[in-house]
Amino acid sequence: MNSEPLLKSAYLKVERAKQQVTELESKISLFFEKRPYTIYRECDSKNGDELIVYYPTEAIPLEWSVLIGEILFNLRSSLDLAVYELTIKEIGNPLPKTEFPIFNDRASFFQTKKNGDAASGSGLFKIRGLNQKTQDCIEQLQTYHVHVLGGITYVKILHDLNIVDKHKELHICRYTNRQIEIINLNQIPLPGLAIRTGFGINLDERVELVRWRFTAYEHKRMSVGVNIFPEISFNENNLEIFTKPQPVLELLNQLIHAVDDILKRLMDTVD
C-alpha cells in the first residue's frame, strides 16, 4: 500500500526546481561579481565627443542553458505527474497518454469522436481518468481562459520553453532595462550629455553608454563613470510572444509560483 502523501512526486519536482533556481542565482551573482565586462572612456574622432563605452569580456557559460532546461523540465513534469497520480487515486491504475493538457482553443480541448467519447489527443482524453471537479479545474486553467504575459498563461510559457529546450537551444543574454547611472565625481556640468536609454540595452555586444561634448579644455580632466545593471535574460527569439528579453530568474520564479498554485488547486478538487 502506498502511504506517500498525494502529489508527493509532483511536489518533489517543484522543490528540485526551486533548488536549481537558487543554484542558478548563485552562479549569476558570482559571474557579475567578477565584472565580465570592461568600460572604456573613448573619443569620437569624427566630432571630438567624449564617450563611455561598454565591452563584454566573458561569454555566458553554456551550462546555464542546460540548468535552465532542467528547471523547466521539472516544472512541466510536475504537472504531468499530478495528473498521473490523481488518475491512480480516482480509478486505481494509470492510463496511457495522460498528461496535464495545455490548449490554445476550446474546440480542440473538447474534441470528441462520433460516439461522443473524448478524441485521442484532446484535452479531455488526457484527463479522462480524473473526477469531474478536477477536470473542470484543469479546463479553467487553459490558455483560452486566462491571459497573463503577452496574452498567454505562465503554464503555456512553461510548456513552450520546455519544448524549445528539448528540440532547439535556449538562448540567454545579458540585458538591462534599467537607467544607466552617471557618476560625475567633479560635479562639473556636462554639455550635450546623452545617456543611452530606451527600451533596453543588449549587453552582449559593444554599447555606447554615454556621450558628451566639452566646451572647455579643463573639462577633459574631469572624472566620469557609470553604473550598469545587467541581468541574465531569455532572448526574445526563444518565443514569439517575447517582444523583448525576459529576466531569467524573475520568469522562472513566476513559473514556479504558477505551478505551485496549480498543484494547490488540483489538491482542492480531491475529496
Side-chain angles (χ1 to χ4, degrees), residues 2 11-12 21 34 66 79 110 116 122 142 162 186-187 198:
N2 187 359
Y11 276 114
L12 283 174
V21 169
K34 295 187 299 181
V66 176
L79 297 177
F110 284 103
S122 69
Q142 296 305 300
N162 180 224
N186 300 92
Q187 298 299 309

Side-chain angles (χ1 to χ4, degrees), residues 4-38:
E4 293 286 358
L6 187 60
L7 302 191
K8 176 67 176 298
S9 295
Y11 276 114
L12 283 174
K13 288 278 189 178
V14 177
E15 288 307 309
R16 179 58 184 146
K18 291 177 181 178
Q19 293 169 4
Q20 290 171 313
V21 169
T22 299
E23 178 186 349
L24 178 63
E25 185 174 13
S26 177
K27 290 178 181 293
I28 291 174
S29 179
L30 288 173
F31 180 73
F32 284 123
E33 281 179 13
K34 295 187 299 181
R35 287 178 60 92
Y37 55 86
T38 299

Side-chain angles (χ1 to χ4, degrees), residues 156-173:
K156 175 64 173 171
I157 294 170
L158 168 61
H159 178 72
D160 287 353
L161 283 176
N162 180 224
I163 290 175
V164 170
D165 177 64
K166 288 190 293 185
H167 300 289
K168 301 177 185 178
E169 179 184 346
L170 288 171
H171 295 286
I172 55 178
C173 63

Side-chain angles (χ1 to χ4, degrees), residues 27-268:
K27 290 178 181 293
I28 291 174
S29 179
L30 288 173
F31 180 73
F32 284 123
E33 281 179 13
K34 295 187 299 181
R35 287 178 60 92
Y37 55 86
T38 299
I39 295 177
Y40 289 118
R41 182 165 165 177
E42 301 178 357
C43 179
D44 189 330
S45 59
K46 294 181 179 179
N47 58 18
D49 284 358
E50 293 292 316
L51 311 173
I52 294 181
V53 184
Y54 162 97
Y55 294 90
T57 57
E58 187 175 340
I60 298 173
L62 185 59
E63 56 265 29
W64 290 5
S65 292
V66 176
L67 179 56
I68 293 169
E70 292 173 354
I71 295 168
L72 295 169
F73 172 82
N74 281 327
L75 292 175
R76 182 66 182 94
S77 176
S78 71
L79 297 177
D80 292 336
L81 276 172
V83 172
Y84 173 84
E85 292 183 59
L86 290 174
T87 299
I88 294 175
K89 174 178 170 51
E90 290 296 328
I91 64 175
N93 57 269
L95 292 173
K97 298 183 179 180
T98 60
E99 64 179 83
F100 189 96
I102 299 174
F103 281 74
N104 294 326
D105 67 278
R106 189 176 186 280
S108 297
F109 185 92
F110 284 103
Q111 185 180 6
T112 58
K113 297 186 289 189
K114 291 182 179 180
N115 64 2
D117 291 341
S120 178
S122 69
L124 287 180
F125 184 82
K126 297 175 189 293
I127 58 175
R128 62 195 184 280
L130 305 180
N131 68 50
Q132 190 61 52
K133 190 175 180 181
T134 306
Q135 289 190 23
D136 291 344
C137 174
I138 292 175
E139 193 275 328
Q140 286 297 314
L141 291 167
Q142 296 305 300
T143 300
Y144 52 85
H145 283 304
V146 187
H147 301 287
V148 182
L149 177 63
I152 196 168
T153 60
Y154 283 123
V155 72
K156 175 64 173 171
I157 294 170
L158 168 61
H159 178 72
D160 287 353
L161 283 176
N162 180 224
I163 290 175
V164 170
D165 177 64
K166 288 190 293 185
H167 300 289
K168 301 177 185 178
E169 179 184 346
L170 288 171
H171 295 286
I172 55 178
C173 63
R174 279 162 287 202
Y175 187 81
T176 181
N177 248 334
R178 292 180 60 181
Q179 173 70 55
I180 300 297
E181 286 185 357
I182 300 297
I183 306 170
N184 185 348
L185 299 179
N186 300 92
Q187 298 299 309
I188 299 174
L190 301 177
L193 179 69
I195 305 172
R196 175 68 186 272
T197 58
F199 206 57
I201 304 174
N202 183 342
L203 295 173
D204 275 342
E205 57 190 27
R206 178 189 181 276
V207 181
E208 178 187 309
L209 300 175
V210 184
R211 172 183 290 265
W212 75 92
R213 183 165 300 174
F214 291 117
T215 56
Y217 173 80
E218 60 269 23
H219 286 185
K220 293 192 176 183
R221 295 195 298 270
M222 71 182 300
S223 180
V224 179
V226 297
N227 282 329
I228 59 173
F229 307 95
E231 290 183 291
I232 298 299
S233 300
F234 286 107
N235 189 294
E236 66 268 32
N237 295 327
N238 283 296
L239 295 180
E240 290 184 0
I241 63 160
F242 290 171
T243 57
K244 64 176 182 177
Q246 301 293 321
V248 165
L249 292 173
E250 179 181 331
L251 184 55
L252 289 177
N253 281 311
Q254 288 169 335
L255 295 177
I256 286 173
H257 178 76
V259 171
D260 265 334
D261 181 64
I262 289 172
L263 294 182
K264 181 181 182 300
R265 293 191 192 190
L266 293 178
M267 287 287 288
D268 289 343

